[in-house]
Amino acid sequence: MIGVVVGLLLFIMFLEWRNFGTSAANRITVAGAVVVLLWMAAYARQPVFRGTLAGYWEKDLLKIVDLAPLFISMGIFSTAIQQSGVLALIQPHLQAVVDALGPFAIVALPILMVACALVGIHPFISIVVFGQIISALHMPVPPISLALCLALGGTVSYIVSPFAGMILTLARFLNCRTVDVSLRWNWVFCAALFVEGTLFAYLWGRLWG
């Protein structure tokens, strides 16, 4: 599993370096497809391969079919937020909050993203909305720190949100509640990740920002 993850990351970085495709989404999709095909080819001669593949197609795949409307609605909602003008209305108020917080704004950013995830706003939408908001504000910290905190907030949100597709899928396969996976099992890891990630973002921005 570690080899698969590392291989996927390296392949995405290679495609980024070669400017493959028209967007990051294209490169991630191609890298994922290639890694999956290579993984399947490595196990194609195993006796249980056909049975496992058939079981996934006939049973496991059906458990995530109803998640498709969720991802479609995420795209529609994020586009609606961008076109509604809400971001322009709240921008002056957010700038005042950022000025008051100073460097501590990098702590507030991921906390707000996690809070949105817990009340039902999908992390994907939070990443899009907060990314657009902070790009229009004058922040007292380097842009690299903001980018890292945005990634940190999105990562933690995906892990603790009961509404994230990853959590919904895990809960389906484990036959348990989404709250058990997202909060009861993951909160200690997320707390450690949040503290370490925030410190890393701040120090990295001070050194290289």
Side-chain angles (χ1 to χ4, degrees):
M1 291 296 296
I2 294 176
V4 170
V5 173
V6 172
L8 179 62
L9 292 175
L10 291 177
F11 194 32
I12 293 174
M13 292 172 62
F14 172 76
L15 294 179
E16 289 279 355
W17 175 58
R18 300 296 299 177
N19 292 321
F20 179 85
T22 58
S23 66
N26 296 145
R27 293 184 275 272
I28 293 173
T29 302
V30 171
V34 171
V35 170
V36 168
L37 291 175
L38 291 175
W39 196 357
M40 293 176 63
Y43 288 93
R45 296 185 179 182
Q46 296 291 330
V48 297
F49 177 78
R50 290 188 177 182
T52 302
L53 187 62
Y56 174 78
W57 182 262
E58 296 172 0
K59 298 179 181 179
D60 295 339
L61 191 61
L62 296 177
K63 295 182 179 181
I64 59 175
V65 168
D66 55 351
L67 296 179
L70 172 65
F71 293 104
I72 295 174
S73 64
M74 286 191 302
I76 296 175
F77 184 75
S78 60
T79 303
I81 289 292
Q82 297 173 37
Q83 301 298 325
S84 65
V86 174
L87 301 181
L89 291 176
I90 64 176
Q91 180 178 341
H93 306 287
L94 290 175
Q95 185 64 62
V97 173
V98 168
D99 294 338
L101 290 175
F104 291 100
I106 65 172
V107 179
L109 176 61
I111 289 178
L112 288 174
M113 296 179 67
V114 172
C116 290
L118 292 177
V119 299
I121 299 178
H122 195 275
F124 175 80
I125 298 174
S126 297
I127 293 173
V128 173
V129 172
F130 280 97
Q132 291 190 344
I133 289 175
I134 64 174
S135 64
L137 298 178
H138 299 286
M139 304 294 288
V141 292
I144 184 64
S145 294
L146 294 175
L148 290 172
C149 282
L150 188 66
L152 173 66
T155 301
V156 176
S157 297
Y158 269 107
I159 298 175
V160 300
S161 173
F163 310 97
M166 177 177 62
I167 299 298
L168 292 170
T169 303
L170 283 174
R172 289 287 184 89
F173 282 105
L174 297 175
N175 294 319
C176 63
R177 299 182 306 169
T178 56
V179 177
D180 292 334
V181 179
S182 60
L183 296 177
R184 190 162 68 90
W185 298 344
N186 287 347
W187 78 268
V188 176
F189 169 76
C190 289
L193 175 62
F194 179 84
V195 173
E196 294 176 2
T198 304
L199 291 175
F200 178 82
Y202 177 76
L203 294 175
W204 189 270
R206 291 292 300 270
L207 293 174
W208 307 103

